[in-house]
Amino acid sequence: MDEEKSSDQKRRDEISDMGSVTTGARIHCITIVGQIEGHQVLQDDTKTTKYEHVLPQLAAVEEAEDIDGLLIMLNTMGGDIEAGLAIAELIATMTKPVASLVLGGGHSIGVPLAVAAKRSFIAPSAAMTIHPVRLTGVVIGSPQTYHYFSRIQERIVRFVTGNSRISREQFVSMMMNTGELANDVGTVLYGEEAVSCGLIDRIGGLSDALGWLHRQIREKCPGEDPG
């Protein structure tokens, strides 16, 4: 009984401190919410996901003998490009089954995070915004600046098209769409649209994502019952 209490308390602490928890079925859950914080600390009243918290969690999940799969739940407005790509690269190179579930929104740099998983799901009501690379603040208007932006954008395009079924031409066209957003360039996709264009694998919810993970774990370890 004491062990059960300590285990339950550990789960509560994980959720409170890091927004993550390992279920009884040996599946670890990580949430990526709000704005992805990069090298600069955001305001106290901004809901953020800190990349220095997520990166070591991913490494620990990959190495943990008592964890068989990973579920990443996304409801993010985007954020720091390099921090987001760093997380996405780790997710894409994990050997354990990884499922992503877009809930609410997976906007901007949240798009690479969603497609980085081995199987991606999106709720019917969820949305994803695709737009060109932007930078707030003072920018020196020079050819070198635009070339730098172009190279960053190319990194995102290659990652997304390399980890999903959407074509490069279609993804870039959505990025540069001028007819949908009132004050910006880009495209907003909702659940079915994100699946039909090949960006996300399937429409689904929590049970669908967990069901896929359970099947992958059973196939990998047929003699074990993950729950």
Side-chain angles (χ1 to χ4, degrees):
M1 184 65 70
D2 290 340
E3 290 182 0
E4 291 180 1
K5 287 183 179 179
S6 63
S7 178
D8 289 341
Q9 184 60 50
K10 181 180 179 182
R11 291 194 181 101
R12 286 193 292 270
D13 291 343
E14 285 178 327
I15 295 172
S16 176
D17 295 340
M18 297 293 186
S20 67
V21 66
T22 301
T23 70
R26 297 163 65 98
I27 293 174
H28 192 76
C29 302
I30 292 178
T31 57
I32 297 178
V33 298
Q35 190 164 345
I36 298 167
E37 190 176 87
H39 304 301
Q40 295 183 342
V41 177
L42 298 176
Q43 300 91 336
D44 291 338
D45 60 350
T46 301
K47 178 70 71 175
T48 64
T49 295
K50 300 178 183 296
Y51 80 104
E52 70 268 26
H53 290 173
V54 179
L55 294 181
Q57 283 187 72
L58 293 172
V61 168
E62 178 71 5
E63 286 291 290
E65 294 182 358
D66 60 341
I67 296 176
D68 296 323
L70 175 64
L71 173 63
I72 297 172
M73 294 178 285
L74 291 158
N75 186 12
T76 176
M77 61 182 291
D80 187 279
I81 292 173
E82 291 195 344
L85 279 178
I87 297 171
E89 288 284 5
L90 276 192
I91 294 170
T93 54
M94 294 180 72
T95 60
K96 292 181 178 179
V98 182
S100 65
L101 176 57
V102 181
L103 300 160
H107 304 293
S108 190
I109 201 62
V111 175
L113 288 166
V115 305
K118 291 179 173 62
R119 182 61 59 90
S120 56
F121 296 83
I122 185 170
S125 62
M128 304 182 78
T129 303
I130 301 169
H131 61 73
V133 172
R134 299 174 299 195
L135 184 66
T136 58
V138 178
V139 179
I140 299 175
S142 67
Q144 291 87 346
T145 301
Y146 298 115
H147 179 61
Y148 174 67
F149 270 37
S150 177
R151 294 183 67 183
I152 293 176
Q153 190 161 293
E154 179 62 22
R155 290 162 61 190
I156 296 172
V157 171
R158 286 187 180 182
F159 186 90
V160 171
T161 56
N163 288 277
S164 69
R165 293 176 289 106
I166 194 170
S167 68
R168 176 187 178 86
E169 293 73 19
Q170 189 174 14
F171 187 70
V172 172
S173 176
M174 289 178 176
M175 264 188 167
M176 302 303 178
N177 181 17
T178 59
E180 183 165 338
L181 302 180
N183 297 314
D184 202 354
V185 176
T187 301
V188 179
L189 297 175
Y190 294 95
E192 291 284 359
E193 296 171 320
V195 174
S196 63
C197 73
L199 186 63
I200 299 296
D201 294 322
R202 283 188 55 191
I203 286 286
L206 181 61
S207 61
D208 301 291
L210 288 174
W212 180 84
L213 284 169
H214 288 317
R215 290 191 295 274
Q216 294 299 304
I217 293 169
R218 284 196 295 269
E219 290 173 8
K220 185 176 181 180
C221 305
E224 297 183 11
D225 183 2

